[in-house]
Amino acid sequence: INDEKLSKLQEEITLLKIIFDYPRLLEQLKEEEVETLAPDFWQNTKEAKKLLKSIQTKKKKLQDLHHLQSLYDELEVFYHLRNEGELS
């Protein structure tokens, strides 16, 4: 791996965040989670289940994007440590 490949990898992760509209996804998740707190949430079980499925899907997307970024961050640290001679 080199600086160019590392940079390209970060660009790809950033592109995924743009494609999935990461900030909007977070906002929608928060809004939907608030909806589940309504006292009448379970009155329409079909809609309640639909909303819970939507929440689950959004959480999975956000979790996957976060995991990708975390893996990249770790790779970047190891790359720099290796280049500085701190890893043998």
Side-chain angles (χ1 to χ4, degrees), residues 4 18-20 27-29 31 36 53 73 75 88:
E4 184 180 330
I18 291 168
I19 290 169
F20 287 105
E27 183 181 320
Q28 288 173 334
L29 175 62
E31 290 170 1
T36 67
K53 178 68 176 167
D73 293 343
L75 177 63
S88 38

Side-chain angles (χ1 to χ4, degrees), residues 3-78:
D3 287 336
E4 184 180 330
K5 288 181 181 178
L6 202 58
S7 179
K8 179 69 175 160
L9 183 57
Q10 181 59 59
E11 289 173 13
E12 294 294 326
I13 293 170
T14 300
L15 181 60
L16 283 171
K17 288 179 179 180
I18 291 168
I19 290 169
F20 287 105
D21 196 0
Y22 187 84
R24 179 70 182 133
L25 201 56
L26 271 174
E27 183 181 320
Q28 288 173 334
L29 175 62
K30 289 177 186 175
E31 290 170 1
E32 289 178 356
E33 287 178 329
V34 167
E35 288 181 47
T36 67
L37 302 175
D40 62 345
F41 176 70
W42 284 106
Q43 284 186 354
N44 183 341
T45 56
K46 184 178 179 181
E47 287 301 313
K49 288 178 182 180
K50 185 177 172 182
L51 184 61
L52 291 176
K53 178 68 176 167
S54 175
I55 289 170
Q56 181 182 26
T57 300
K58 285 176 178 67
K59 281 184 175 182
K60 176 73 171 123
K61 286 179 185 176
L62 289 166
Q63 185 179 47
D64 289 348
L65 289 169
H66 180 70
H67 185 68
L68 275 174
Q69 185 63 55
S70 293
L71 288 172
Y72 169 82
D73 293 343
E74 288 179 28
L75 177 63
E76 184 181 36
V77 167
F78 285 123

